[in-house]
Amino acid sequence: MSFSGRRFSTNKAPGSAELNSQIHRQFRDAHEGHRPHAGLDPSRASTGVVWCTERANEYGFADDPDSWANLGQGAPEADDDIPGSFKRPKQLDISVNAREYGPTAGIKSLRVAIANLYNAHHRKGKASQYSWENVAVVPGGRAGLIRIAAVLNNAYLGFFIPDYTAYNEMLSLFRNFAAIPSPLSEEDGYHIHPDKIAEEISRGTSVILTSNPRNPTGQVVANPRLAEIQDICRDRATLIMDEFYGGYNYTSNCDGKTVSAADNIEDVDEDDVLIIDGLTKRFRLPGWRVAWILGPKEFIKAIGSCGSYLDGGTNVPFQEAAIPMLDPDLVLNEMKALQTHFKAKRDYVLGRLKEIGFKFKHVPDSTFYIWLDLSGLPAEINDGLNFFQKCLQEKVIVVPGIFFDLNPAKRRDLFDSPCHHFVRLSYGPKMAHLQRGLDGIERIVKRYVNGPSAFRIVRKVLTLQAVIVSKVLDDNDAQWTIVI
């Protein structure tokens, strides 16, 4: 069906802000299933942040990225400028062994280092300890998620809305499970409550996937609620915990504590909890593509094996270089520096946004994201896609909230989405980029609060007054002409 003839919502007709919006048309075109090539599914060609970057390239981003404020990319600043942070390697000493194919589950020495880190930070004093056989090294978080999906049994898999955009493709690629969405409530900060988990399990869900801390809302499920959720799932459901933002935890006075389900596991080989993390976020090395999965040995054996046909394994030289970074004391100090630095950036961004006029029901307590509510803005910019397009004109990139309303297999009309009036804003970049991006957002808001919408309101009032005056004059047979 053509764009002009399709309804945006099952509840109401599309508004003019959507019908007349170029960015809405581009979004529709990318998701309607047009097939110019027989073997290509174009809806898989550009998703989430990639789609946003492609639109930014149309405005010149690729030609001069340094002049832009990219608050859309989910990446932390990667320089060595954070006080107290250890220096990242600038050169690698590549061993002869690193020239060979590596094991698809990762080299043993790195797997040992990862297990030791989790035992030191999350398993101290517990009888059940992780070994290297409880760890699989994978080439990035997405590859890890794909491996997990590949080994799941026939199951109902529960996921929550909003959540990480890449889950969308993972949940629609495989046919060995059926993905069941469960929306979270904005009113209580999109928290995942234990009774929500119990409800999912009671209706037959046997696998649950979630990010924690949560992307994009910046909220964390911490103990004791996290422990209660794990107790509910024990022996009843497999819990997949995406913990890439576990180090960005601002709930414990920046003491370096990392949030992890590993704290609450009773038996590392019996509790069906799969934890995925890596160097990408909390070690600020997204380009290295080194991540890991912890879980029961049987799961890890299968996850390691399927790497042989899915991705071939992780780059061996970078695995070797990662080992010294995982010393538990070094990591604790690194997390203290990380939390102090990023909490200060969070506070700066929230302060600027409040000055601009945005309201916040809930302050994000983790990650480096702000889930920005646009509903109080004028109609031209109060949905994520139109706000995103106006940001591009100011050389600012954000991500429309609609991408976080996960919609595997495109079964729902997303313009009914509760995420439609949000954008995700990242304070991962350096402070200078944050300042530039917020300056651009401020210009947009001022332009529309004091500009087109306000002018139209005044004009409507004047027009109404003119009609009334014209009627009075006409009734008195006076010969007057009023022009607005």
Side-chain angles (χ1 to χ4, degrees), residues 8-171:
F8 284 91
S9 167
T10 58
N11 298 322
K12 60 182 180 180
S16 60
E18 295 173 349
L19 281 173
N20 299 324
S21 167
Q22 176 190 0
I23 201 71
H24 280 74
R25 289 194 294 273
Q26 287 180 310
F27 181 86
R28 283 293 187 186
D29 289 344
H31 292 80
E32 284 198 320
H34 174 58
R35 295 175 182 268
H37 302 286
L40 174 67
D41 179 356
S43 70
R44 305 238 185 241
S46 58
T47 58
V49 173
V50 174
W51 186 88
C52 294
T53 304
E54 290 172 347
R55 303 289 77 73
N57 289 341
E58 295 169 3
Y59 285 78
F61 173 64
D63 299 324
D64 187 19
D66 292 337
S67 68
W68 283 65
N70 186 355
L71 311 185
Q73 183 72 51
E77 56 183 284
D79 294 356
D80 288 326
D81 298 336
I82 296 178
S85 176
F86 68 81
K87 304 298 182 185
R88 273 53 176 169
K90 295 184 178 178
Q91 295 180 331
L92 298 184
D93 184 11
I94 300 176
S95 69
V96 174
N97 287 338
R99 301 176 187 175
E100 304 286 351
Y101 284 122
T104 54
I107 60 175
K108 182 178 178 180
S109 51
L110 178 56
R111 296 166 73 185
V112 168
I114 294 166
N116 288 343
L117 173 64
Y118 278 78
N119 288 335
H121 283 188
H122 305 288
R123 308 295 302 164
K124 194 170 290 185
K126 299 181 186 293
S128 180
Q129 299 280 300
Y130 286 115
S131 76
W132 66 274
E133 294 176 289
N134 295 110
V135 181
V137 180
V138 292
R142 292 171 181 82
L145 290 167
I146 293 295
R147 286 202 197 186
I148 291 172
V151 303
L152 292 177
N153 200 351
N154 292 326
Y156 290 120
L157 183 151
F159 65 95
F160 301 98
I161 296 171
D163 215 325
Y164 176 40
T165 59
Y167 297 166
N168 207 52
E169 301 311 308
M170 181 200 85
L171 293 173

Side-chain angles (χ1 to χ4, degrees), residues 19 77 119 132 134 159 198 238 253 264 325 333 386 406 429 439 445 475 484:
L19 281 173
E77 56 183 284
N119 288 335
W132 66 274
N134 295 110
F159 65 95
T238 296
N253 297 317
N264 308 313
M325 298 181 194
N333 290 330
N386 275 319
L406 308 182
D439 289 345
V445 173
D475 289 345
I484 298 297

Side-chain angles (χ1 to χ4, degrees), residues 153-350:
N153 200 351
N154 292 326
Y156 290 120
L157 183 151
F159 65 95
F160 301 98
I161 296 171
D163 215 325
Y164 176 40
T165 59
Y167 297 166
N168 207 52
E169 301 311 308
M170 181 200 85
L171 293 173
S172 59
L173 280 174
F174 293 88
R175 297 291 179 262
N176 51 328
F177 54 82
I180 310 296
S182 183
L184 300 176
S185 170
E186 178 191 353
E187 295 305 313
D188 69 351
Y190 301 99
H191 285 307
I192 301 174
H193 295 287
D195 56 358
K196 186 84 167 175
I197 299 294
E199 179 184 333
E200 291 301 305
I201 292 175
S202 69
R203 65 174 180 168
T205 299
S206 58
V207 180
I208 294 173
L209 167 67
T210 183
S211 59
N212 189 48
R214 296 191 49 71
N215 174 8
T217 61
Q219 303 293 334
V220 65
V221 182
N223 284 334
R225 188 169 58 200
L226 177 58
E228 187 177 350
I229 288 172
Q230 289 178 243
D231 288 342
I232 292 170
C233 290
R234 189 171 290 113
D235 299 324
R236 302 173 70 191
T238 296
L239 191 57
I240 304 169
M241 301 297 292
D242 176 348
E243 296 185 348
F244 268 91
Y245 299 95
Y248 296 85
N249 166 38
Y250 316 126
T251 66
S252 55
N253 297 317
C254 300
D255 61 359
K257 181 181 179 181
T258 299
V259 175
S260 178
D263 286 324
N264 308 313
I265 288 172
E266 292 183 355
D267 188 314
V268 298
D269 286 319
E270 296 297 329
D271 285 28
D272 271 359
V273 179
L274 299 175
I275 295 170
I276 183 166
D277 196 358
L279 301 184
T280 305
K281 307 297 185 183
R282 64 181 175 125
F283 292 86
R284 300 186 295 113
L285 290 169
W288 281 35
R289 313 312 296 148
V290 176
W292 53 78
I293 302 168
L294 285 88
K297 290 176 184 176
E298 286 187 69
F299 254 114
I300 295 302
K301 183 178 179 181
I303 288 168
S305 296
C306 72
S308 63
Y309 61 82
L310 286 174
D311 53 56
T314 308
N315 181 297
V316 176
F318 284 111
Q319 289 189 68
E320 293 179 338
I323 295 169
M325 298 181 194
L326 300 182
D327 174 80
D329 291 336
L330 180 69
V331 172
L332 181 62
N333 290 330
E334 178 70 15
M335 294 304 100
K336 290 178 181 178
L338 185 84
Q339 291 165 7
T340 300
H341 182 75
F342 277 81
K343 182 177 182 293
K345 291 201 297 180
R346 179 202 69 176
D347 293 345
Y348 166 76
V349 173
L350 285 175

